[in-house]
Amino acid sequence: MAAFPAGIPVVIVNYKTYAEATGKRAVPFTEALLRAAAGKRVTLAVAPQAADLLRVSQATRVPVLAQHVDSLAPGNGTGATLVEAAQDAGAVGSLLNHAERRLTLAELDAACARLAAAGLARVVCTDNARTTGAAAALRPDLLAIEPPELIGGSVSVTTADPEVVRHSVRAAKAVHPQARVLCGAGVKTGEDLRRALELGAEGVLLASAVMKAKDPGAALGELLSGLP
Amino acid sequence: MAAFPAGIPVVIVNYKTYAEATGKRAVPFTEALLRAAAGKRVTLAVAPQAADLLRVSQATRVPVLAQHVDSLAPGNGTGATLVEAAQDAGAVGSLLNHAERRLTLAELDAACARLAAAGLARVVCTDNARTTGAAAALRPDLLAIEPPELIGGSVSVTTADPEVVRHSVRAAKAVHPQARVLCGAGVKTGEDLRRALELGAEGVLLASAVMKAKDPGAALGELLSGLP
Amino acid sequence: MAAFPAGIPVVIVNYKTYAEATGKRAVPFTEALLRAAAGKRVTLAVAPQAADLLRVSQATRVPVLAQHVDSLAPGNGTGATLVEAAQDAGAVGSLLNHAERRLTLAELDAACARLAAAGLARVVCTDNARTTGAAAALRPDLLAIEPPELIGGSVSVTTADPEVVRHSVRAAKAVHPQARVLCGAGVKTGEDLRRALELGAEGVLLASAVMKAKDPGAALGELLSGLP
Amino acid sequence: MAAFPAGIPVVIVNYKTYAEATGKRAVPFTEALLRAAAGKRVTLAVAPQAADLLRVSQATRVPVLAQHVDSLAPGNGTGATLVEAAQDAGAVGSLLNHAERRLTLAELDAACARLAAAGLARVVCTDNARTTGAAAALRPDLLAIEPPELIGGSVSVTTADPEVVRHSVRAAKAVHPQARVLCGAGVKTGEDLRRALELGAEGVLLASAVMKAKDPGAALGELLSGLP
């Protein structure tokens, strides 16, 4: 079954390296998010650190993504995270090329190919409409456009720069008609999610709005209030 | 208790990204090594991928090292492995600066400092006597000199270039008298381990001799036959 | 005037860091190449190291490309090569994303944008048909597909893997109909150039066949014998 | 003759990628600095971009440093700056490991070794006392400690954190008694230079105070007023 069924809005929470969702805290954190999403028509996925994948996938039923996987084949790669290791730890896919872990185009392509061969989902982050178009040529499951200057900020990309979302969707579909695009950066409220969907995105990728919230479950609940 | 008690030879097996010790295969692989080391006067430690740390540390009693941890503080660091994540996954320390994952000097220092603050062991890899001396200034628990041109080869550093081991021990102790040095690259036989100890090293770091062996436990047993 | 006029075959010689074309030796080396190309219907361009750009551009009349420029704006960037510095040193453009200097997709896009804004040519290297298609979305002046496993080898990509050239041309044009594609890796003889043009490429990017030749001018002459 | 004669204070101006000292503007910029230093008992050196080295070294008599050189041997290294290229372009040495271009410990060592073999000076940047001690083991001509959090700021390291300068000098000399240490970050006034020398440093490395000044010559003159 596809990790991200067509037609259902997608919300991915990137745990980054926030202490609140690291190690032993990752499971209760995830459970709070799951309660907030219960019964909603949304595909919620979370992206913990590599060392936390197994813990979260064993203890919860949320689709778990790696934050990054390396493109290399098994063998020599000390410090890398192999696609196979992420998969055995329960990941159904991986973010790739996040602003905090950019990949070369060659690595990005190779990582996409290895994930695809393993039957895992690829969510490729990009920074503008041109790179979204470029990444669409690699045919990932999802693209996620996040203008770097808005990441972690208080104004949602959907308000600060709605055109970048529209143009990214258009650029991606021009290269690959089945492309599906998320947006991110500053996304926080139900209204932000509602506008993202209006602009042609199929959902959002977010971190700080949930990760830095006093009550992460409530923060996610607020966001999900924008679901149609 | 120290991860590497003084006076006891150290053998660290770096699992790298070998398929044989990835994911579900990591636990039986580790158990085979533990059986080979049972009853021997050696501190055996293993270094699985980040995604496999929890699995190995939960299922076995071997000291587990991360292959790499990042130097950054919690927060923004998508794709990184936080010291805290490695620790909660059961790691007692980390390799750092392996030939396949070199760090800048500033990152190496910061990662050492974060590991030390968390009470975790630091095993810093180096490539010659000068860099071993330099790394000794960061006061890691162990240094591991591996001449890059011999890594993965069939001739042990202790035979091919015994002077680099002696000089590395001397350079490290000149900077930090309590420095302890391992050696690696091509290490395979009991004789290789015996010579490493003779040359002033306190043990060995190895990968391919065990990882690519038909019978990894037997390969480790052969190496450990060189223990005094 | 365009650096690479349409309809004229393109041959780019990448000097890499070969001693034979470094520093003072860069000018006589370049002069030998110019003599070999004199009177031929080809756009010959050469790519010396950053420190050699001024020297070559002042002493000769060949179009000079940087091997790499950084994507950052003026200010903080110690060790970087600014587009403006390359331009003032006489470069008419730059290679980008060579196998020995891969860029993240975001950097590649930003470097392309800065070069375009300065009126300089962009020659983007890629490693397969997919990444050629992706890079075409950035609308560089030229793409140069070089399968990494064939680089520096003795068999030309046009013989060893003609399909990768054909597929790259097709992938690039599917994304950007005006895309122009070079090929490289193992290219050496007139026959190699002739087949490159037959396969839909507009020329070749090469290094070792000329750089390691006893007589670089003669080596280039042999290659150019394949011009139509 | 040594690039940095013992007993004479050292002032190095890092041009970074400031537009004011890029390309054609590099020469008049340098001349203004030379006028400010004329007749002063100081070794003034400047570090332009690689593409500007030849221009500055040909037109002026100031010792010119590269901002970075790569550690690799001639051959394959597209986009790199070879030691030999920097030398032929007139550089008498190179900065290494600047905060904006950190090197792995192995690269730093190899670049130092290549520079030393070519008879060129090595100025190694560091970020705290520990890494200064570590880098001293590589025996560079000069170390330059710059706390990253103070770089580009308005308060000099000599005021904001005098202890880091003292400790760095001590850590360096403990490892290599002949070590010579510069300091940098926020350095601007004659008083800043005077205090640097008092704290045991042999001079300063600076950028923004001169690079962003309306009158760079006057800014350097103000700094040099602190010479003994």
Side-chain angles (χ1 to χ4, degrees):
Chain A
M1 201 197 70
F4 300 102
I8 301 182
V10 174
V11 171
I12 300 176
V13 182
N14 178 4
Y15 289 2
K16 295 190 171 183
T17 52
Y18 281 98
E20 291 75 7
T22 292
K24 290 168 186 157
R25 301 170 74 179
V27 172
F29 191 95
T30 305
E31 287 167 343
L33 300 191
L34 277 169
R35 283 192 297 272
K40 303 274 170 64
R41 193 168 174 277
V42 64
T43 301
L44 172 70
V46 303
Q49 290 170 67
D52 294 332
L53 288 171
L54 183 66
R55 191 193 297 271
V56 175
S57 70
Q58 282 184 338
T60 74
R61 303 194 51 169
V62 70
V64 170
L65 300 172
Q67 292 177 11
H68 165 77
V69 292
D70 285 278
S71 57
L72 36 74
N76 298 317
T78 301
T81 294
L82 215 56
V83 166
E84 289 81 354
Q87 185 168 35
D88 263 16
V92 300
S94 185
L95 300 183
L96 289 172
N97 199 43
H98 186 274
E100 294 160 8
R101 186 70 177 254
R102 292 292 191 213
L103 300 179
T104 69
L105 177 56
E107 287 170 331
L108 180 56
D109 169 58
C112 280
R114 293 207 84 234
L115 284 163
L120 299 191
R122 298 138 296 158
V123 182
V124 175
C125 302
T126 55
D127 61 336
N128 63 31
R130 281 188 309 270
T131 53
T132 306
L138 309 179
R139 311 204 162 200
D141 296 80
L142 292 168
L143 293 149
I145 159 71
E146 300 189 290
E149 67 279 12
L150 301 176
I151 293 179
S154 59
V155 183
S156 169
V157 60
T158 53
T159 302
D161 192 0
E163 286 309 293
V164 79
V165 181
R166 253 192 220 108
H167 291 163
S168 294
V169 171
R170 197 180 311 150
K173 289 188 188 293
V175 169
H176 178 50
Q178 286 78 45
R180 300 168 69 197
V181 177
L182 309 180
C183 64
V187 171
K188 183 180 279 185
T189 67
E191 177 64 13
D192 297 341
L193 174 56
R194 200 184 58 69
R195 294 192 61 165
L197 300 174
E198 259 178 29
L199 292 164
E202 314 225 353
V204 297
L205 169 63
L206 80 167
S208 57
V210 166
M211 301 313 293
K212 295 164 97 167
K214 275 210 180 129
D215 181 340
L220 181 62
E222 159 57 27
L223 181 89
L224 297 181
S225 72
L227 286 170
Chain B
M1 202 196 71
F4 299 103
I8 301 182
V10 173
V11 171
I12 300 176
V13 182
N14 179 4
Y15 289 2
K16 297 189 170 182
T17 51
Y18 281 99
E20 291 76 7
T22 291
K24 289 167 186 157
R25 302 170 73 180
V27 171
F29 191 96
T30 306
E31 287 167 344
L33 301 191
L34 278 169
R35 283 191 296 273
K40 302 276 171 62
R41 193 171 173 277
V42 64
T43 301
L44 172 71
V46 303
Q49 289 170 67
D52 294 332
L53 289 171
L54 184 66
R55 192 191 298 269
V56 176
S57 70
Q58 281 183 338
T60 73
R61 302 194 52 168
V62 70
V64 171
L65 301 172
Q67 292 179 11
H68 165 76
V69 291
D70 286 277
S71 58
L72 36 74
N76 297 316
T78 301
T81 294
L82 214 57
V83 167
E84 289 80 354
Q87 185 168 36
D88 264 16
V92 301
S94 185
L95 300 182
L96 289 172
N97 199 44
H98 186 275
E100 293 159 9
R101 185 70 178 255
R102 294 290 192 213
L103 300 179
T104 69
L105 177 56
E107 287 170 330
L108 179 56
D109 170 57
C112 280
R114 292 206 85 233
L115 285 163
L120 299 190
R122 295 139 297 160
V123 182
V124 175
C125 302
T126 55
D127 60 335
N128 64 29
R130 282 188 310 271
T131 54
T132 307
L138 308 180
R139 313 205 160 201
D141 295 79
L142 292 168
L143 293 149
I145 159 71
E146 298 190 290
E149 68 278 14
L150 302 176
I151 293 180
S154 59
V155 184
S156 168
V157 59
T158 52
T159 302
D161 192 1
E163 286 309 293
V164 78
V165 182
R166 255 192 218 109
H167 290 163
S168 293
V169 171
R170 197 180 309 148
K173 289 188 187 293
V175 169
H176 179 49
Q178 286 78 46
R180 300 168 69 197
V181 177
L182 309 180
C183 64
V187 170
K188 182 179 278 186
T189 67
E191 178 63 13
D192 296 341
L193 174 56
R194 201 184 58 68
R195 294 192 61 166
L197 300 174
E198 259 178 31
L199 292 164
E202 314 224 350
V204 298
L205 169 63
L206 80 166
S208 57
V210 167
M211 302 312 294
K212 295 165 95 167
K214 275 209 181 132
D215 182 339
L220 181 63
E222 158 57 27
L223 180 90
L224 296 180
S225 71
L227 285 170
Chain C
M1 203 196 70
F4 299 102
I8 301 183
V10 173
V11 171
I12 300 176
V13 182
N14 177 5
Y15 289 2
K16 296 189 171 183
T17 51
Y18 281 98
E20 291 76 8
T22 292
K24 290 166 187 158
R25 302 170 74 180
V27 172
F29 191 95
T30 305
E31 287 166 343
L33 301 191
L34 278 170
R35 282 192 297 272
K40 303 274 171 62
R41 193 170 174 277
V42 62
T43 301
L44 172 70
V46 303
Q49 291 171 66
D52 293 332
L53 289 171
L54 183 66
R55 191 192 299 269
V56 176
S57 70
Q58 281 183 338
T60 73
R61 300 191 56 165
V62 71
V64 171
L65 300 172
Q67 292 178 10
H68 165 76
V69 291
D70 285 278
S71 58
L72 38 72
N76 297 317
T78 300
T81 295
L82 215 56
V83 167
E84 289 81 353
Q87 185 168 34
D88 264 17
V92 300
S94 185
L95 299 182
L96 289 172
N97 200 44
H98 186 274
E100 294 160 7
R101 185 70 177 254
R102 292 290 191 216
L103 299 179
T104 69
L105 177 56
E107 287 170 332
L108 180 56
D109 169 58
C112 280
R114 293 206 85 235
L115 284 163
L120 300 189
R122 296 138 296 159
V123 181
V124 175
C125 302
T126 55
D127 60 336
N128 63 31
R130 281 189 309 270
T131 54
T132 306
L138 309 180
R139 313 204 160 201
D141 296 79
L142 292 168
L143 293 148
I145 159 72
E146 299 188 290
E149 67 279 12
L150 301 176
I151 293 179
S154 59
V155 183
S156 169
V157 61
T158 53
T159 302
D161 192 0
E163 286 309 295
V164 79
V165 181
R166 252 191 221 110
H167 290 163
S168 294
V169 171
R170 195 180 311 148
K173 289 188 188 292
V175 170
H176 177 50
Q178 285 78 43
R180 300 167 69 196
V181 177
L182 309 180
C183 66
V187 171
K188 182 179 280 184
T189 67
E191 176 65 11
D192 297 340
L193 173 57
R194 200 183 58 70
R195 296 192 59 165
L197 299 174
E198 261 178 29
L199 291 165
E202 314 224 352
V204 298
L205 169 63
L206 80 165
S208 56
V210 166
M211 303 311 295
K212 296 165 95 167
K214 274 209 183 131
D215 181 341
L220 181 63
E222 158 58 26
L223 181 89
L224 297 181
S225 72
L227 285 171
Chain D
M1 204 196 68
F4 298 103
I8 300 182
V10 173
V11 171
I12 300 176
V13 182
N14 178 5
Y15 289 2
K16 297 188 170 183
T17 51
Y18 282 98
E20 291 76 7
T22 291
K24 290 167 186 158
R25 301 170 76 179
V27 171
F29 191 95
T30 306
E31 287 167 344
L33 301 191
L34 278 169
R35 283 193 296 273
K40 303 277 169 64
R41 193 169 175 279
V42 64
T43 301
L44 173 70
V46 303
Q49 290 169 65
D52 294 332
L53 288 171
L54 184 66
R55 190 191 298 270
V56 176
S57 70
Q58 282 183 336
T60 72
R61 303 194 50 170
V62 70
V64 170
L65 300 171
Q67 292 177 11
H68 166 76
V69 291
D70 286 278
S71 57
L72 36 75
N76 297 317
T78 301
T81 295
L82 214 57
V83 167
E84 289 80 355
Q87 185 168 36
D88 264 16
V92 300
S94 185
L95 299 182
L96 290 171
N97 199 44
H98 187 275
E100 293 159 8
R101 186 71 178 254
R102 293 293 191 211
L103 300 179
T104 69
L105 178 55
E107 288 171 329
L108 180 56
D109 170 57
C112 280
R114 293 206 85 235
L115 284 164
L120 299 191
R122 297 138 297 161
V123 181
V124 175
C125 301
T126 56
D127 61 334
N128 63 30
R130 281 188 310 268
T131 53
T132 307
L138 309 179
R139 310 204 163 201
D141 296 80
L142 292 168
L143 292 149
I145 158 72
E146 297 189 291
E149 68 279 13
L150 301 176
I151 293 179
S154 59
V155 183
S156 168
V157 59
T158 53
T159 302
D161 192 0
E163 286 310 294
V164 78
V165 182
R166 253 193 219 109
H167 290 164
S168 293
V169 171
R170 197 181 307 148
K173 289 188 187 293
V175 169
H176 179 49
Q178 285 78 44
R180 299 167 69 196
V181 177
L182 308 180
C183 64
V187 170
K188 183 178 281 188
T189 67
E191 178 63 13
D192 297 341
L193 175 56
R194 201 183 59 68
R195 294 192 61 166
L197 300 174
E198 260 178 31
L199 291 165
E202 314 223 351
V204 297
L205 169 63
L206 80 166
S208 56
V210 166
M211 302 312 294
K212 296 166 95 167
K214 277 208 180 133
D215 182 340
L220 181 63
E222 160 56 27
L223 181 89
L224 297 181
S225 72
L227 286 171

